[in-house]
Amino acid sequence: MKLIIQMPCFNEAETLEIALTALPREVEGFDSVEWLIIDDGSTDATIEVAKRCGVDHVVQHMGNKGLAVAFMTGIENCLKQGADVIINTDADNQYDASNIPDLVKPILKKKSEMVIGARPISTIEHFSPAKKFLQKLGSWVVRGASKTNIPDAPSGFRAISKSAAQKLMVFSEYTYTLETIIQAGQKDISICSVPVNVNDDLRPSRLVKSIPSYIQRSIFTIIRIFVIYRPFRFFLTIGSSLMLVGFLISVRYMYFYLFESGNGHVQSLILSAILIMMGFQTILVSFLADLLSANRKLLEDVRVKINQIIHKRED
């Protein structure tokens, strides 16, 4: 059994050595533990620090492509290196590496294929109230979209089995955390959560450059999640809402027409007709989006089968 611990990095020379020093070289249940660094176009000494600390595998991007792309690059290369279990953690030493045995335990016991480390959000001092609220909101949305029960969906500290890793495909360019959990719910990947500790903050978050920016990106990410993974419900809700508003406006028009002669309320009738037509068209779009979603799932299944064949040949 091989465990590979991956770290996406972008200009992490100042914190990388601290994070790597904390990583284990032996974990119960595994014959070997290897480290893999994904350098996402760093312009500092990230690679030099990684090699000096004895990292087994270094993968480089030609330019900064973002955290989500770096995560998937790491997953693909871990599979190529024969990983049976993959640990993803941050290069800023946010997560306590001593919890790694706790993360892999459900996978080793065949109780789960993906394990998310749940941070004590409410007690983390360097998290602002707004960030804590958004963390909880994001987790709530993911639970609703994925039908899972993960308390800390934005956590990047997670263990992934080989079978689960082969099924993952992240579309977002911003972050992978929410989308991979929803995929787990969609693809029947068993998933659970274990409590983990966090270390002191070494640097400001790269994802949260400002609260307004984080809110904007989080909203777009959540909307995109629903469009991709719940397209029928998403467009049906919009279409039904438009038709309901149009119907209520038409009722208002009929009231004035029957009881108060209706003079001067033709605009309401026009608006009602427009909203009802828009709602009907949006509902039609929901059926088309559902068909496209089914086609995407079939293509993803084909991709998984091809990856499994490739990895068997490499083994």
Side-chain angles (χ1 to χ4, degrees), residues 176-228:
Y176 58 88
T177 55
L178 307 183
E179 191 170 346
T180 48
I181 294 175
I182 291 176
Q183 286 190 20
Q186 291 265 316
K187 300 177 180 180
D188 295 324
I189 298 173
S190 56
I191 184 171
C192 70
S193 179
V194 298
V196 297
N197 301 315
V198 295
N199 299 312
D200 293 335
D201 194 22
L202 296 180
R203 62 161 175 76
S205 172
R206 297 270 174 78
L207 283 179
V208 188
K209 296 179 180 179
S210 67
I211 294 300
S213 173
Y214 185 68
I215 292 174
Q216 180 183 5
R217 285 178 174 269
S218 297
I219 291 173
F220 286 152
T221 299
I222 291 169
I223 291 174
R224 189 173 184 183
I225 283 170
F226 273 101
V227 171
I228 293 176

Side-chain angles (χ1 to χ4, degrees), residues 164-179:
Q166 290 173 337
K167 298 176 184 178
L168 295 180
M169 172 55 70
V170 178
F171 296 97
S172 172
E173 297 178 356
Y174 179 54
T175 181
Y176 58 88
T177 55
L178 307 183
E179 191 170 346

Side-chain angles (χ1 to χ4, degrees), residues 226-242:
F226 273 101
V227 171
I228 293 176
Y229 296 102
R230 290 286 188 269
F232 184 77
R233 182 193 300 181
F234 180 82
F235 289 108
L236 184 64
T237 300
I238 294 176
S240 300
S241 300
L242 289 172

Side-chain angles (χ1 to χ4, degrees), residues 119-123 127-144 150-155 178 214 218 222:
R119 298 163 293 179
I121 298 294
S122 58
T123 62
F127 275 19
S128 68
K131 185 174 180 180
K132 290 179 181 179
F133 170 76
L134 288 171
Q135 297 278 5
K136 293 179 180 179
L137 176 62
S139 298
W140 176 79
V141 170
V142 169
R143 285 196 294 271
I150 301 301
D152 186 13
S155 171
L178 307 183
Y214 185 68
S218 297
I222 291 169

